[in-house]
Amino acid sequence: MILKIVKYPDPVLQQPGEPVTEFDAALHKLIADMFETMYASQGIGLAAQQVGVAKRITVIDLTGGKDPAQKLVLINPEVIFREGKQYEEEGCLSFPEIREKIARAAKVRIRAQDQDAKWFEMDGEELLSRAFQHEIDHLDGTLFIFRMSALKRDLTLRKIRKMQREGTW
Ligand SMILES: [Zn+2]
């Protein structure tokens, strides 16, 4: 089922996610729906807050659904190691049409549970590292506009307000 993606400034986007404790059929259904929703919007990552659920769940697929082996489910994830710097353009499904360069760690290692509660660690570089950091930020209630410079953020918020007035946001 394709879920509705909530857009900024919906308050749920800034609500830190509750840890997941029940790894049941309802969780598996939500994860399947999140993948379907993400693919329908051509995204490569989606956090539960973006479908209105403040829980520590995110799905990532850098292939956009082309390779099922690349599907990643991170439950209760945290960054346990970060190294280096990268500065690349990012977008967010909750900010349609907004793209800005964001400073991130070049490499990270994350620790997370899979959909059956099993803990694992995984390293990410470049785009995967950025996806890990962007999505885990969502689970903490942190949006990418707060990783921009104050000037870029003001310009972005102005652009959003203009689109809101025009009814295109
Ligand atoms: Zn996002």
Side-chain angles (χ1 to χ4, degrees), residues 50 92 134 138:
Q50 294 180 279
C92 180
H134 181 110
H138 269 299

Side-chain angles (χ1 to χ4, degrees), residues 1-6 29-52 59 64 71 93-94:
M1 192 173 83
I2 295 176
L3 307 170
K4 186 178 182 290
I5 295 181
V6 302
K29 169 84 169 95
L30 175 62
I31 290 166
D33 289 346
M34 285 173 66
F35 274 113
E36 206 181 326
T37 304
M38 177 175 81
Y39 294 142
S41 299
Q42 278 96 45
I44 57 166
L46 187 71
Q49 275 92 338
Q50 294 180 279
V51 293
V59 298
K71 289 169 78 166
L93 292 176
S94 295

Side-chain angles (χ1 to χ4, degrees), residues 18 23 28 35 46 65 70 80 85 102 146 163:
E18 290 284 333
F23 293 78
H28 294 176
F35 274 113
L46 187 71
Q70 304 299 315
I80 54 172
K85 278 198 171 69
I102 306 288
F146 300 113
M163 285 192 268

